[in-house]
Amino acid sequence: MDGNGGASDAAVPILEETFYALSRKQYSYTVTLTSSGLYLKKNFNGAVKTDFIHVNDIIGCKCMRNNGKSNDCACRPVKNTNAANCQVRVPYDDSTDCSAYLCVYAYILKNVAMKNERRDKMTVTLRFRNYNNYNDNLKTAQKWKHSISSLMRARSEGRTIVALPDNRYLANRLLVIVNPKSGVGKAREIFQRKVAPILIMADVDYDLHITCMQNDARNLVRTSNIYKWGRGIIVLGGDGLMFEIINGLMERSDWQRAFEYLTLAIIPGGSGNGLAKSISFETNEPYTEDPIVISALNIVSGNRCAMDLVRVETISQVVYSFLSVGWGFIADIDIESERLRILGSPRFTIWTIARLIGLRSYPARLSYNKIDNLDSNIKINNFTASSFYDCQDIIDDGPVSIEFGMDPLEEFDSRERVESFSSAISKRTFMSVKEATSFQSIPDVVEESDIWIRGPASKIPPLSEPVPADWEVVEEEFVMIHASYLSHISEDVLLAPDSKLNDGVIWLLIVRNGISRANFLQFLLALSSGTHLNIPNVEMVPVRAFRLEPLSGGSHIVVDGELLKHSPVQAEIMPGITNVYARQKCS
Ligand code: ADP
Ligand code: MG
């Protein structure tokens, strides 16, 4: 909410209407829609105060009708009680209410001046009752709705989703995959309580799949007709679940089309959550106060950003990675702390202290293709969006009751939904309480007999051949080497502060043996703020590709938090080959 009303806009009214408040009869509200958003001008005793909702903050709008059950109708934008909220109330004065209501849902930036910036939900409900029959009032409400929807569509103009050659696919649905075991095991509840209501407000149809075991999600995206989920695939879990999706898609014979067509997204429910944090960091969204809401808003925004992937090759396998390749200290913590999973994030801290006391180093040969001039590095920044705001279906097939002080959608929040995802919260939901059978309900399964990772061809020599002559090669002892292509490898580790989703860079963080325990502790503490790069024996090298050949055992090789067989490993960047949802334009 912008207290000064965003007055600098070319605020030419598209629609304007006056509303009255019940409780304070002296108040009237002039509500004006302009190309930049909704202005709510409160007039009282000659004084005027204007609030403003930017069109970018609106996530959806619905027309509704009162079914006459309630004895008090409300046009209420009140969720929060602070003064910035606008209240527009009218009396319920007729048992056969023929008013049409328009609910506009927005998430507004709050506390901008303070440290705890966050986005708060705001619902503005407008009651139209100029005519004495519902249909005419509905027409007026629909006129507002269509204008708001057009503005929401216009903000995505110039950005296109790659369309398939025919339209036999239902391109407007989302697949939500939930790992009920991720993090501290609350992902299902998080979906029902916090994510589903946002999807409903934004009129996003979705199918829900609860994973029943490791690799369930990977098999699902490898074998299903994924194009019916044209709006994309969301994972609610940790980075490990996203790793499954990316690699499952890479196992498809049509992997290229799949990556062009699909937009991915993550709602952080795991113990790492590096991708979710990195997206909000790059787009400057206030993640900390409510990571779930911020990540869900990315999805309903419809905006998508290209993201780099990295092809990782060991002696025995190829995988695609979006987060990091680690070896040495941090990788060891990641793997060895698994046994403390129940503790969530603190497990990392506890294990870190234990490992710091017995600090190890490992010999290795490290070769890399350094990027000398970062500015001229390849940059493919396809900022695109799926144009999916078809806010056309009016909810008037069954009358909707509007209770005073109660957003219709909040009713969903208060329902008991621990075990089943009832159809009341989703128009199209499949899910079985018996998890093991849940994915049998997914149609159009394509079985492929040969499963292997496909994806773009490698441009570097295979591990069996020497590295190119222009690569730099060092052979020494390292405490750790951690390559990252996102800024954050977990919510609280800003490993590569300059990294962008689509910069075409692998940021190679090298900690050499010889670092004192005190300096290494300082390094670890500085990781949360990204100020760890000026410490002796610590170096960050931007590269296109690297090869790491451990010359002893003892450590782990971890890709996106997943353990790989210990062997020589090489990695190369594949710029911008996938897309993720992000509320704001990525840099
Ligand atoms: P976290 O961040 O807590 O590790 P993830 O969602 O990344 O959570 O998942 C951790 C691991 O669990 C991944 O390797 C994933 O493949 C696996 N997994 C996914 N679904 C299930 C399931 N239903 N039961 C057990 N493991 C699962
Ligand atoms: Mg990057």
Side-chain angles (χ1 to χ4, degrees), residues 179 181-183 211-214 238 240-241 244 270-271 341 562:
N179 176 1
K181 300 284 160 58
S182 62
T211 64
C212 56
M213 63 177 92
Q214 188 161 35
L241 193 58
E244 281 196 23
S271 35
R341 168 167 285 271
E562 306 291 309

Side-chain angles (χ1 to χ4, degrees), residues 3 78 115 119 265 268 271 276 283-284 333 350 456 472 479 488 521 553 561 585:
V78 272
K115 277 200 168 144
R119 285 195 178 272
S271 35
T283 56
N284 218 8
I333 304 280
I350 293 166
E472 292 179 36
V479 170
H488 290 73
L521 178 61
K585 187 168 177 167

Side-chain angles (χ1 to χ4, degrees), residues 393-454:
D393 12 351
I394 306 299
I395 303 188
D396 62 356
D397 45 350
V400 175
S401 144
I402 302 186
E403 306 278 333
F404 172 64
M406 176 71 137
D407 183 324
L409 285 161
E410 279 166 29
E411 287 179 62
F412 294 124
D413 287 349
S414 56
R415 283 187 197 149
E416 178 63 56
R417 34 186 152 84
V418 175
E419 263 311 302
S420 81
F421 290 69
S422 79
S423 57
I425 62 159
S426 162
K427 292 164 200 161
R428 294 187 192 98
T429 296
F430 59 86
M431 183 270 164
S432 156
V433 176
K434 285 191 201 130
E435 291 173 11
T437 60
S438 71
F439 81 100
Q440 290 172 2
S441 55
I442 291 182
D444 306 320
V445 170
V446 183
E447 278 304 337
E448 284 179 27
S449 49
D450 299 322
I451 304 172
W452 75 88
I453 292 275
R454 301 155 203 253

Side-chain angles (χ1 to χ4, degrees), residues 18-29 75 87-91 127 129:
T18 303
F19 298 82
Y20 296 91
L22 167 66
S23 59
R24 298 178 188 129
K25 289 206 171 69
Q26 70 274 32
Y27 288 10
S28 74
Y29 288 83
C75 289
Q87 296 196 356
V88 186
R89 270 192 221 166
V90 292
R127 181 189 194 188
R129 51 174 192 148

Side-chain angles (χ1 to χ4, degrees), residues 30-43:
T30 308
V31 180
T32 310
L33 181 68
T34 77
S35 60
S36 55
L38 263 187
Y39 290 83
L40 307 158
K41 193 162 90 182
K42 182 164 85 173
N43 313 293

Side-chain angles (χ1 to χ4, degrees), residues 61-296:
C61 51
K62 289 184 195 299
C63 294
M64 299 193 186
R65 183 178 189 177
N66 189 350
N67 67 3
K69 280 188 197 142
S70 67
N71 57 7
D72 189 6
C73 286
C75 289
R76 55 167 294 278
V78 272
K79 158 87 186 191
N80 317 294
T81 49
N82 63 43
N85 275 324
C86 155
Q87 296 196 356
V88 186
R89 270 192 221 166
V90 292
Y92 177 78
D93 52 6
D94 188 345
S95 58
T96 54
D97 181 13
C98 61
S99 313
Y101 295 84
L102 178 71
C103 289
V104 181
Y105 305 109
Y107 277 79
I108 312 286
L109 213 50
K110 287 284 169 67
N111 297 347
V112 177
M114 277 109 80
K115 277 200 168 144
N116 59 339
E117 204 176 70
R118 60 172 203 264
R119 285 195 178 272
D120 279 353
K121 181 179 161 198
M122 177 169 178
T123 307
V124 176
T125 307
L126 303 174
R127 181 189 194 188
F128 296 89
R129 51 174 192 148
N130 284 346
Y131 302 95
N132 61 4
N133 69 82
Y134 171 67
N135 283 341
D136 285 340
N137 288 325
L138 177 64
K139 275 186 197 142
T140 316
Q142 281 175 330
K143 194 165 73 184
W144 279 75
K145 175 179 168 154
H146 287 145
S147 299
I148 293 170
S149 302
S150 312
L151 291 176
M152 290 165 72
R153 266 195 298 274
R155 71 191 181 193
S156 302
E157 251 167 31
R159 312 163 198 157
T160 50
I161 190 159
V162 180
L164 292 177
D166 59 52
N167 58 6
R168 76 198 141 98
Y169 302 109
L170 296 172
N172 215 16
R173 294 168 70 186
L174 193 67
L175 173 63
V176 182
I177 302 181
V178 176
N179 176 1
K181 300 284 160 58
S182 62
V184 287
K186 292 236 170 12
R188 291 163 75 147
E189 199 190 318
I190 288 172
F191 179 75
Q192 287 182 315
R193 204 164 41 81
K194 302 193 89 167
V195 183
I198 290 179
L199 298 180
I200 292 166
M201 281 186 271
D203 242 345
V204 176
D205 277 347
Y206 60 89
D207 291 327
L208 182 65
H209 181 83
I210 313 284
T211 64
C212 56
M213 63 177 92
Q214 188 161 35
N215 287 328
D216 177 17
R218 184 171 180 151
N219 292 334
L220 175 71
V221 300
R222 177 171 53 76
T223 57
S224 304
N225 170 16
I226 49 171
Y227 302 105
K228 66 174 175 265
W229 297 302
R231 200 174 273 199
I233 301 181
I234 313 182
V235 307
L236 203 173
D239 292 322
L241 193 58
M242 182 57 96
F243 180 81
E244 281 196 23
I245 302 303
I246 286 172
N247 285 282
L249 292 173
M250 282 296 185
E251 285 165 348
R252 297 175 66 95
S253 51
D254 62 349
W255 62 268
Q256 197 158 10
R257 188 171 64 162
F259 277 96
E260 275 170 20
Y261 188 63
L262 287 180
T263 307
L264 305 179
I266 191 160
I267 308 273
S271 35
N273 309 323
L275 176 56
K277 177 67 189 233
S278 297
I279 292 172
S280 64
F281 182 72
E282 181 161 339
T283 56
N284 218 8
E285 281 289 308
Y287 182 86
T288 319
E289 282 286 315
D290 199 338
I292 307 290
V293 164
I294 289 299
S295 303

